[in-house]
Amino acid sequence: MVEVKLEAEIISENKKNRYQHWANKLGRYAQQAVLYEAVLEPKPGLVDSVDNGSHKDMDIFTFMDSASSLYSGFVDFAMDGFGHTGDARSLFTKIRKTGIQIEKNMFEETKGINTHKGIVFSMGIVISAVAFSLKNYQKTTVKEFPILSPTEVEIVFSTMQKMTEGLVSKDFHTLETKEILTNGEKLYMEFGFLGIRGEAEAGFPTVRNMLLKLRKDSFRKPTYSTKDIYLDILFILMSEVQDSTVVSRGGIEALEYVKQTARIFLENGGMQQHNAVEKIVNINECFRERWISPGGSADLLAITILFIKLENINVGG
Ligand SMILES: CC(C)(COP(=O)(O)OP(=O)(O)OC[C@H]1O[C@@H](n2cnc3c(N)ncnc32)[C@H](O)[C@@H]1O)[C@@H](O)C(=O)NCCC(=O)NCCS
Ligand SMILES: Nc1ncnc2c1ncn2[C@@H]1O[C@H](COP(=O)(O)OP(=O)(O)OP(=O)(O)O)[C@@H](O)[C@H]1O
């Protein structure tokens, strides 16, 4: 018997295929962003392809193993967004469940080492917000994944703010009675430090501002390579971010030290300095002595790279 499909059925099947195709693309972009961050060198205190920075329990191969476990989860985050029919807040509840599974896969791959916990959380919010916003605002019916306009990216940022509204108080209000605290929870109890949750609830303002600068082309210098731009972005983030990885490893005074070090590097010209690489190698040594690693800034660099890809911003030399 010949199967007759109603027009509505065909439209919805086409839509489903398109969302799956877009989700795969989003997953690939996100995984690429995570890989770019990992191999970028020289980075101070962080694992890269040259050394392990301030870390003893992981190297670049641990990061490659870990990154390879993330792709299908990133696609799931996107499908969560495309398939969501409720409001932004309930999307966040949905993706946290997906995130827990991705975290599990990651820990399995790294044999218990925390390489990408922070980025799984942040990427979950970003990827699902992109998908949810595209579904609501992009009326295009083409199969090819669309390049996002600055206006559409702004919609994604406000979606992220809506998704995470009240996150800090919700996550932290039961800590008094909790027996085992994570690093982020300990820092909140001790210093009222908001870390990754604060960054997310504020709608990733550091990344949002970075994109404003990138769109104005203010980063591009005739002598710059893509790598130079990414390194300048990393130092700008280090000079601004309330990074809980810095504090949990180096103490609260380490945060000002990192910000100040990054500020001085940038004031002197960032990657434009003729001896920029030598300077970063020295900063790496100083960070290693103090056990400092700017893991939160590294995560936000990966998020920035994802948006650069989504908006197709030219960061070539
Ligand atoms: C909120 C998360 C990140 C855990 O919080 P935790 O208290 O362990 O956080 P902690 O302060 O140790 O930071 C985790 C990582 O975030 C990154 N980070 C730190 N500071 C910042 C910052 N200011 N901005 C962005 N990222 C940051 C770093 O890479 C750090 O390693 C998340 O893993 C979580 O909620 N886990 C529970 C299970 C879950 O819901 N997982 C999936 C979420 S989609
Ligand atoms: N290239 C990188 N090198 C090192 N850390 C990175 C890098 N990119 C991101 N990070 C972030 O830094 C975090 C590692 O911090 P850390 O080693 O302090 O982990 P932890 O589990 O919080 O602490 P501990 O291992 O002391 O229990 C990673 O989870 C990751 O999110």
Side-chain angles (χ1 to χ4, degrees):
M1 209 169 85
V2 183
E3 199 186 328
V4 182
K5 280 193 181 154
L6 296 173
E7 198 182 346
E9 258 182 291
I10 297 170
I11 292 173
S12 107
E13 213 169 278
N14 284 347
K15 227 181 194 179
K16 231 162 78 195
N17 288 340
R18 175 158 34 97
Y19 287 155
Q20 186 63 60
H21 182 78
W22 285 5
N24 295 346
K25 185 71 179 173
L26 257 172
R28 276 202 297 280
Y29 275 164
Q31 194 184 32
Q32 287 159 8
V34 167
L35 288 167
Y36 291 11
E37 180 279 308
V39 297
L40 182 70
E41 51 77 25
K43 293 192 299 276
L46 294 159
V47 173
D48 61 31
S49 54
V50 174
D51 74 7
N52 303 344
S54 304
H55 296 269
K56 279 225 159 66
D57 57 351
M58 48 175 128
D59 62 17
I60 192 67
F61 301 114
T62 327
F63 269 85
M64 298 297 109
D65 292 346
S66 174
S68 74
S69 77
L70 301 179
Y71 170 72
S72 63
F74 286 166
V75 175
D76 291 343
F77 278 141
M79 288 310 278
D80 281 348
F82 285 126
H84 192 64
T85 48
D87 62 7
R89 286 281 286 283
S90 56
L91 174 59
F92 182 62
T93 313
K94 191 185 203 175
I95 60 146
R96 265 197 131 167
K97 290 193 193 109
T98 309
I100 290 167
Q101 185 53 47
I102 304 173
E103 236 182 64
K104 266 197 200 132
N105 300 345
M106 178 207 85
F107 280 122
E108 229 173 82
E109 210 54 48
T110 63
K111 301 184 180 59
I113 295 165
N114 169 21
T115 38
H116 285 125
K117 186 165 85 163
I119 199 68
V120 166
F121 178 79
S122 300
M123 276 295 183
I125 298 169
V126 175
I127 296 171
S128 62
V130 170
F132 187 58
S133 312
L134 273 178
K135 168 198 159 106
N136 290 333
Y137 299 100
Q138 257 282 353
K139 298 300 171 214
T140 171
T141 52
V142 293
K143 199 175 171 204
E144 203 182 322
F145 189 85
I147 293 171
L148 302 195
S149 68
T151 315
E152 282 165 335
V153 167
E154 274 304 302
I155 293 171
V156 173
F157 276 96
S158 37
T159 303
M160 293 197 285
Q161 264 176 310
K162 285 184 199 137
M163 284 171 74
T164 53
E165 205 185 315
L167 166 67
V168 169
S169 54
K170 191 164 168 282
D171 258 28
F172 288 144
H173 88 283
T174 50
L175 292 190
E176 300 283 352
T177 52
K178 203 172 165 211
E179 276 178 20
I180 301 169
L181 298 180
T182 64
N183 284 335
E185 290 168 342
K186 279 183 209 150
L187 295 181
Y188 178 74
M189 292 293 272
E190 211 172 328
F191 308 110
F193 199 86
L194 302 183
I196 190 166
R197 297 170 180 83
E199 180 70 30
E201 186 168 348
F204 296 97
T206 45
V207 177
R208 200 176 193 163
N209 290 335
M210 192 73 69
L211 290 169
L212 293 178
K213 289 186 202 150
L214 282 161
R215 284 181 202 127
K216 277 196 222 130
D217 239 16
S218 48
F219 276 74
R220 299 190 61 211
K221 315 278 182 306
T223 54
Y224 262 30
S225 63
T226 307
K227 185 170 139 179
D228 292 330
I229 295 180
Y230 290 160
L231 284 171
D232 265 1
I233 294 174
L234 177 64
F235 275 85
I236 295 176
L237 290 166
M238 282 163 52
S239 72
E240 292 175 2
V241 173
Q242 299 299 101
D243 192 329
S244 68
T245 309
V246 169
V247 181
S248 66
R249 298 173 64 95
I252 193 76
E253 54 299 332
L255 189 62
E256 199 37 51
Y257 173 74
V258 168
K259 287 184 172 178
Q260 184 67 6
T261 306
R263 246 179 260 139
I264 293 171
F265 178 79
L266 293 165
E267 277 162 16
N268 286 324
M271 291 308 290
Q272 265 188 302
Q273 299 166 82
H274 68 93
N275 56 349
V277 167
E278 206 180 301
K279 282 195 172 172
I280 301 180
V281 169
N282 284 335
I283 296 171
N284 187 34
E285 282 314 310
C286 296
F287 280 19
R288 279 163 64 103
E289 273 166 28
R290 293 168 176 78
W291 208 238
I292 291 173
S293 171
S297 292
D299 288 354
L300 294 171
L301 169 64
I303 299 291
T304 308
I305 295 174
L306 173 61
F307 278 106
I308 288 173
K309 283 177 172 284
L310 290 170
E311 240 189 274
N312 200 20
I313 299 175
N314 185 356
V315 287

